Amino acid sequence: QKEVEQNSGPLSVPEGAIASLNCTYSDRGSQSFFWYRQYSGKSPELIMSIYSNGDKEDGRFTAQLNKASQYVSLLIRDSQPSDSATYLCAVSPGGNNRLAFGKGNQVVVIP
Amino acid sequence: DTGVSQNPRHKITKRGQNVTFRCDPISEHNRLYWYRQTLGQGPEFLTYFQNEAQLEKSRLLSDRFSAERPKGSFSTLEIQRTEQGDSAMYLCASSLAGTETYNEQFFGPGTRLTVL
């Protein structure tokens, strides 16, 4: 079983719409959760961190964490063409400082 | 405020040669991490340091890979006897331990290695 799974294929959304990304993780002891944005050919850029159950909002981004279901999501409101990128879910498995990453979800915002 | 820097940005080498990469973390960060990323995959953890101590290495990490952080500042990652399968983007990240933003890791631009 993979530590972090992002199963959705490429996501195409019209400009101004909401993009929704999901991620599940296997280690119930995981304590910190992150979303990174990665443009083609560039390194990952941290956009959201979340540590407790519930929602966390930062600008147009909202991260949601449900530890009981071992599920993390990211919502991007009012999507812009500049949001077109791959979004990586990352988790610190329980007791570890390393990050385990999913494969990423590509988002394409269509003007 | 400078971010994480990595050198070189690109490296092309022939199979069997040794290569060394350097990472300079954000100045006040005491943790430094190395990851490797291949096309279509998320970054894969290699090893990490807290100050000068190497605290964890991936079980998948070949003995050909070695990392150091001699004075708790910059770090080097050496790959000996490179193989074509080592071709990847090598990413360095840093974080500050003991803060509310626990384990937020910030990545450098990466070093792209191509082994011919």
Side-chain angles (χ1 to χ4, degrees), chain A residues 36 38 43 49 51 92 97, chain B residues 35 37 48 102-105 108:
Chain A
Y36 285 83
Q38 187 171 29
S43 62
S49 57
Y51 305 98
S92 295
N97 292 306
Chain B
Y35 293 85
Q37 187 177 25
Y48 99 93
Y102 172 67
N103 209 20
E104 284 189 343
Q105 297 183 20

Side-chain angles (χ1 to χ4, degrees), chain A residues 11 13-19 21 37-39 47 60-61 74-87 105-110:
Chain A
L11 179 64
V13 296
E15 184 173 355
I18 295 175
L21 303 170
R37 177 175 63 197
Q38 187 171 29
Y39 293 113
I47 55 172
R60 296 185 294 109
F61 298 103
L74 179 71
L75 299 177
I76 308 173
R77 291 183 302 282
D78 187 23
S79 296
Q80 301 296 309
S82 60
D83 295 326
S84 297
T86 295
Y87 290 80
N105 286 127
Q106 186 181 7
V107 172
V108 178
V109 180
I110 303 167

Side-chain angles (χ1 to χ4, degrees), chain A residues 31-32 34 36 38 41-44 46 49 51 56 88 92 96-99 101-103, chain B residues 31 33 35 37 40-43 45 48 56 91 100-109:
Chain A
Q31 299 177 0
S32 50
F34 307 93
Y36 285 83
Q38 187 171 29
K42 303 296 186 182
S43 62
L46 179 66
S49 57
Y51 305 98
K56 179 182 178 182
L88 296 162
S92 295
N96 284 291
N97 292 306
R98 65 176 175 86
L99 294 180
F101 284 84
K103 290 178 61 174
Chain B
R31 286 186 177 155
Y33 308 79
Y35 293 85
Q37 187 177 25
Q41 302 296 317
F45 171 77
Y48 99 93
E56 188 176 353
L91 294 162
E100 290 182 353
T101 51
Y102 172 67
N103 209 20
E104 284 189 343
Q105 297 183 20
F106 298 89
F107 284 85

Side-chain angles (χ1 to χ4, degrees), chain B residues 40-93:
Chain B
Q41 302 296 317
E44 172 194 21
F45 171 77
L46 296 179
T47 188
Y48 99 93
F49 295 83
Q50 178 154 328
N51 301 314
E52 65 275 10
Q54 187 173 19
L55 296 187
E56 188 176 353
K57 286 177 62 173
S58 169
R59 288 171 294 174
L60 302 176
L61 196 60
S62 162
D63 289 344
R64 298 183 295 106
F65 287 70
S66 62
E68 293 183 341
R69 194 182 183 198
K71 296 184 179 179
S73 56
F74 73 92
S75 174
T76 58
L77 177 69
E78 181 183 17
I79 309 175
Q80 296 182 326
R81 305 180 302 281
T82 52
E83 302 173 356
Q84 288 184 326
D86 297 331
S87 295
M89 174 78 87
Y90 288 83
L91 294 162
C92 177

